[in-house]
Amino acid sequence: MPELPEVEVVRRGLERWVAGRTVADVEVLHPRAVRRHLAGGDDFAARLKGHRIGVAQRRGKYLWLPLADTDASVLGHLGMSGQLLVQPQDTPDEKHLRIRVGFQDELGTELRFVDQRTFGGLSLHDNTPDGLPDVIAHIARDPLDPAFDDEAFFAALRLRRTTVKRALLDQSLISGVGNIYADEALWRARLHYDRPTATLNRPKAAELLGHARDVMNEALAVGGTSFDSLYVNVNGESGYFERSLDAYGREGEPCRRCGTPMRRRAWMNRSSYFCPRCQRAPRSAS
Ligand SMILES: [Zn+2]
């Protein structure tokens, strides 16, 4: 599943290749890809047609295309395997092409939503006064957002009776930090995933937030991380940041700081990777 840096790479691609173009026609090739658009595929196509697409926006892992001259946006759900590709019109259809968007210009490219497992899709939503699709109004800002409020985040950590990795993945508190980057940030901060947030002092919380920002910015710098061979960015290139991960996926390999074999633990239907020496379990959890 793509994380924030991958989604940002897609957003940048859309900004470059799609912004300012006017939709000529929309072809929905699989009804599941528009199932979140409750009025159906024909309505989805009709409401996009003739509208100019604005600059692609992102909050956390959510990506949307504002429609100029309306208060609505097209929300893209990449799901497990969704891809937004800008392809020359004469490129043969991908096997799992679900939605095609053509444009009223002579650039010769079209936008394609391709999704093998069809967990993803596109849907049109009204915007909130802030310009967010209304269905994601509850999603907190992400740590790469210049308007992210660090102090409010630290205060929320102190007040909540939760553990640090749960807090990092709580989209109403901080968005866009997925499982992989949470493990990386916790390893860098030498924090165990089950550490109660109330026990983090402000400097430690600030250090953790700084590491989360760093690891995501580093991933962005190399074009996102690919953990799923199905993931490619808007131009069809796979990310390659996974080669430089320190924690995620490294079970049994030596910790890059102390040499202790890294461990993996089942955690909320996912996995947590950590160094048992650098990231000591809190007493209550051990
Ligand atoms: Zn270690």
Side-chain angles (χ1 to χ4, degrees), residues 196-240:
T197 56
T199 67
L200 294 184
N201 60 25
R202 194 189 169 289
K204 198 66 185 174
E207 185 192 338
L208 177 64
L209 181 60
H211 286 310
R213 284 195 174 112
D214 287 348
V215 73
M216 288 194 285
N217 275 320
E218 289 163 23
L220 260 181
V222 293
T225 313
S226 174
F227 299 93
D228 182 338
S229 60
L230 292 165
Y231 172 76
V232 289
N233 69 28
V234 74
N235 292 316
E237 297 166 16
S238 293
Y240 51 93

Side-chain angles (χ1 to χ4, degrees), residues 255 258 275 278:
C255 170
C258 74
C275 170
C278 297

Side-chain angles (χ1 to χ4, degrees), residues 13-45:
L14 292 171
E15 178 176 359
R16 178 166 174 196
W17 299 106
V18 173
R21 301 178 73 182
T22 300
V23 176
D25 45 58
V26 177
E27 192 181 352
V28 176
L29 298 154
H30 196 299
R32 266 182 67 80
V34 290
R35 69 189 180 284
R36 292 181 185 86
H37 187 81
L38 302 178
D42 290 345
D43 182 81
F44 178 78

Side-chain angles (χ1 to χ4, degrees), residues 187 254-260 262 274-279:
W187 181 84
C255 170
R256 294 209 170 105
R257 213 163 24 217
C258 74
T260 304
M262 299 287 289
F274 65 105
C275 170
R277 185 168 173 207
C278 297
Q279 298 166 268

